Amino acid sequence: MTVAAAGRLVVAVYGTLRRGGHNHAVLGGARFLGPARTAARYTLLDLGVGFPGLVEGGQTAVAVELYAVSAATLARLDLLEGVAHGLYARAAVELHDRTEVLGYFLGDGWRGERRVIATGDWMEGR
């Protein structure tokens, strides 16, 4: 079950939607809830195209930021992430404290570069 905050869904972002990322403005009026880490069961990939991808499996605790979002903001995020076209899929992400929030996983159709980000933090060193 995913966590809700004040009637809004909680979304974890790990790439260009984070503060300082070039897509952060898409979050609009979303409320920043703070930084977090996922459970150590994912792999974060540098796709070589200016944005990362999260995949299930692995042993990395990925650095994320949590936001409480409205249904309208969630729809904008789905559009940005190409959910309808299978670029990313929205699903539950487990955090380090075992709570679940929403997040975006790289879809099966990605055929480009996939370099593992061992630190789990895409913004590190940028």
Side-chain angles (χ1 to χ4, degrees):
M1 176 168 199
T2 56
V3 173
R8 293 177 171 220
L9 293 171
V10 177
V11 174
V13 299
Y14 52 84
T16 65
L17 288 163
R18 286 172 60 184
R19 292 173 294 168
H22 64 269
N23 283 320
H24 182 71
V26 175
L27 286 165
R31 186 165 53 97
F32 177 66
L33 301 175
R37 285 257 177 194
T38 67
R41 54 179 283 206
Y42 301 104
T43 300
L44 187 61
L45 302 169
D46 184 337
L47 304 176
V49 291
F51 55 87
L54 182 67
V55 295
E56 293 198 70
Q59 299 177 341
T60 304
V62 176
V64 297
E65 290 178 356
L66 303 177
Y67 290 87
V69 301
S70 65
T73 300
L74 193 62
R76 284 195 311 270
L77 293 173
D78 283 356
L79 185 63
L80 173 72
E81 302 293 4
V83 170
H85 304 291
L87 180 59
Y88 285 85
R90 178 169 29 102
V93 173
E94 184 181 348
L95 298 179
H96 69 284
D97 65 1
R98 295 187 170 220
T99 60
E100 288 185 340
V101 296
L102 294 175
Y104 291 89
F105 290 92
L106 186 63
D108 293 335
W110 182 259
R111 299 291 178 246
E113 183 177 329
R114 290 175 176 246
R115 186 181 59 78
V116 173
I117 301 171
T119 65
D121 190 343
W122 188 71
M123 297 290 271
E124 193 172 90
R126 291 199 184 286

